[in-house]
Amino acid sequence: MSELNTGWTEHTVVRDGVRLVARDHGGTGRPVLFLHGLAGYGGEWDATVAGMRDRHRVVTLDQRGHGASERRPLDGDMSRSAYVADVIEVITALRLEEVALVGQSLGGNTAMLVAAARPDLVRALVMVEAGAGGVDPREVDRVGAWLTGWPVPFASLDAAAEFFGGGPAGAGWAAGLERRGGGWWPRFEAGLMVRSLAGLVRPSFWPEWRRVACPALVVLGQSGIISLDEQREMALARPDTVMVTVPRAGHDVHLDAPEALRAVLAGFLDRER
């Protein structure tokens, strides 16, 4: 564990030889653990979690293969079960029992699987632009081609932000890069990201979604990727699920509209305190 001059404390948790790094923003109240999406890192949540420490203990995690955590696990395991076991280990090691899990995209799927597997640990679930349906294999190929097509190294963070589409989301993606060798590089290996996404290729995760016992919130971007059919099926499977659409936001709701997302989270999590 190390104290940094950025308002958060860094914790390292090791599970089966894989180093996992979490940022503990502190705060009073019941814990909330944030999980980023594919090719992301925990710092993506900084703008969203700002101001939440007066009501919650806030922790963000760099998941395996991402950010400051183990870049290449020795066993190469990027399976859904490995991600889930990592999160359970972090919850236990950092004493985050009765945690609210907030996950975006891939992180939302992980959060759902943890809530389904360990209802004793999870008091509330928030899935941001994540659904219970599986991923089409063609999407794995598309995302893989996009990741391997990045013109790295980027000459500057501004150039990277422009490549990622500009605006808050572009800047957020650029902020996840690291500087080395005179340029800016991703903090992941594209091949392992493809392997992670391939873990979502299955007919669906509907059985796990139905097993979630805690209160659940699904946050959607107005121009996000979760289809209306999938949204309706999720609501039918768990009628008590709260579903909120954030205007003027895409798949990266937490980057496009962090203040709006924070307000939605506050309204939901404060009820579960």
Side-chain angles (χ1 to χ4, degrees), residues 56-114:
H56 307 282
R57 178 186 173 191
V58 177
V59 179
T60 62
L61 174 66
D62 284 4
Q63 297 175 87
R64 63 170 49 213
H66 296 78
S69 290
E70 199 76 47
R71 197 71 55 86
R72 173 175 278 279
L74 291 177
D75 59 3
D77 188 359
M78 303 298 287
S79 64
R80 294 284 73 219
S81 59
Y83 278 91
V84 169
D86 288 348
V87 172
I88 292 172
E89 184 73 17
V90 169
I91 291 172
T92 303
L94 301 188
R95 299 182 179 180
L96 304 176
E97 290 83 357
E98 294 192 349
V99 70
L101 283 180
V102 181
Q104 187 261 347
S105 195
L106 182 82
N109 180 271
T110 303
M112 178 186 69
L113 296 181
V114 173

Side-chain angles (χ1 to χ4, degrees), residues 8-31:
W8 43 267
T9 299
E10 182 179 284
H11 299 282
T12 298
V13 176
V14 178
R15 188 188 74 80
D16 288 348
V18 176
R19 187 186 72 257
L20 305 166
V21 176
R23 294 180 177 185
D24 189 340
H25 294 257
T28 58
R30 301 172 81 182

